[in-house]
Amino acid sequence: MRALLLGLLALSGMAGASDMDDLLSALKQARTLEARGTVEVTVLFPPRELPTKSAKALPRVPFRPGLLTRSFRVSRMGQEAVAGRPTSRFELIPKNTQAARWTLWIDQEWNIPLAYQESFPDGTPARRAVFQKVNARPATVQLALPAPAGGLRAALLSALPGLRLPAGSQPTEVKSRPGGGLEVSLSDGVNVFALVTSPRGVRAAPGIASRKVGAGFVWLVGNLPQSVLNQALARVSRVDAAGLETLRGTFVKVDASNVQNSPDSQPDSR
């Protein structure tokens, strides 16, 4: 009986690893191929007046394989049709039980996503994008996957003493804000949170925590319970000016795209 149990556990582990590998293969393929057609995009969080719109391709999600494998468990949950094409449905369950969970539908022939859904921990949808019609062939694209700069995490924690990063997340990118301050992107491999230093506060809203520190403010924005967002900032004791200059001088890329991007724009990399 003991040998049988060990054998079943081993098979279970092998299946999980295979599901993760298959998903990572599809996400890698999606950096060079992209389905086009008619996509219905529904965003329920944060709330908006017109939650549903159309697009020609899936909005890009900044998947980061290294962080994804550490932060999520992946299971293949069967086959479903999307826009008349057979797909495999993958469930991404976060190890941090307070983080959003994801479902991806991967085209079985092209090995690229045709739909995805981000859900709250209780399963309620937060946003969803799904092809209604898809062109006969995918388009060729070239999407880079910039690696997080070494030393960024230590520099961020030094600049904001007392900051507690959301479980499983790591800083991946730093941008200057036109109105002053910095925006640091945090990722757990799929979910992205924005950590902002600013001379001004921000209006209270679901998914936004703001704390006055010294003469300025620190915000944390993302799909996490309000209590978790507040706790992440609760112990920030000061904003170290020299530390912020280190972040700005070392990790902010000075180029045209960095200057032109809106503070609220989302990364395009996968």
Side-chain angles (χ1 to χ4, degrees):
M1 177 64 71
R2 176 182 173 84
L4 176 60
L5 178 60
L6 290 175
L8 291 174
L9 290 174
L11 288 174
S12 174
M14 290 174 62
S18 176
D19 291 346
M20 175 68 79
D21 291 343
D22 289 347
L23 177 64
L24 294 180
S25 172
L27 297 180
K28 181 178 180 180
Q29 177 87 324
R31 293 183 220 139
T32 58
L33 289 179
E34 181 177 76
R36 300 281 174 84
T38 302
V39 179
E40 182 180 85
V41 181
T42 302
V43 179
L44 303 173
F45 178 87
R48 55 193 63 194
E49 292 183 6
L50 298 174
T52 300
K53 64 178 182 179
S54 293
K56 295 181 180 180
L58 292 176
R60 291 172 184 154
V61 177
F63 294 105
R64 292 184 172 272
L67 290 174
L68 192 156
T69 56
R70 286 161 43 187
S71 303
F72 287 82
R73 299 181 180 89
V74 174
S75 296
R76 189 195 308 261
M77 302 301 292
Q79 302 179 11
E80 296 179 11
V82 175
R85 295 186 60 86
T87 71
S88 296
R89 179 165 63 92
F90 289 84
E91 296 288 343
L92 285 66
I93 308 301
K95 296 177 183 179
N96 173 13
T97 58
Q98 295 174 310
R101 58 191 297 173
W102 288 72
T103 306
L104 274 73
W105 287 262
I106 304 297
D107 188 282
Q108 293 182 356
E109 178 186 358
W110 297 339
N111 197 34
I112 55 176
L114 291 188
Y116 65 70
Q117 178 170 300
E118 175 188 0
S119 304
F120 295 106
D122 64 2
T124 304
R127 62 171 166 153
R128 177 180 173 89
V130 56
F131 272 97
Q132 304 299 306
K133 297 180 181 178
V134 64
N135 296 347
R137 294 182 181 178
T140 300
V141 295
Q142 289 294 331
L143 300 176
L145 183 68
L152 176 53
R153 184 178 190 276
L156 175 62
L157 295 179
S158 177
L160 298 174
L163 174 68
R164 296 196 296 182
L165 299 177
S169 68
Q170 294 293 335
T172 58
E173 182 183 13
V174 183
K175 295 186 291 186
S176 287
R177 291 175 53 82
L182 295 174
E183 178 178 335
V184 181
S185 295
L186 311 175
S187 173
D188 62 7
V190 183
N191 299 300
V192 176
F193 317 107
L195 178 69
V196 176
T197 64
S198 174
R200 296 179 296 276
V202 63
R203 184 173 58 186
I208 300 176
S210 178
R211 175 177 168 82
K212 191 176 191 305
V213 182
F217 292 83
V218 181
W219 318 340
L220 183 59
V221 183
N223 186 1
L224 286 171
Q226 199 66 35
S227 60
V228 175
L229 296 173
N230 292 335
Q231 289 168 11
L233 304 181
R235 296 184 181 179
V236 177
S237 57
R238 61 190 175 91
V239 176
D240 185 80
L244 289 184
E245 286 307 309
T246 297
L247 285 174
R248 190 187 308 276
T250 305
F251 300 103
V252 173
K253 294 183 179 179
V254 181
D255 57 28
S257 63
N258 191 54
V259 173
Q260 294 171 3
N261 282 345
S262 158
D264 299 323
S265 64
Q266 295 296 319
D268 284 340
S269 58
R270 293 197 180 204

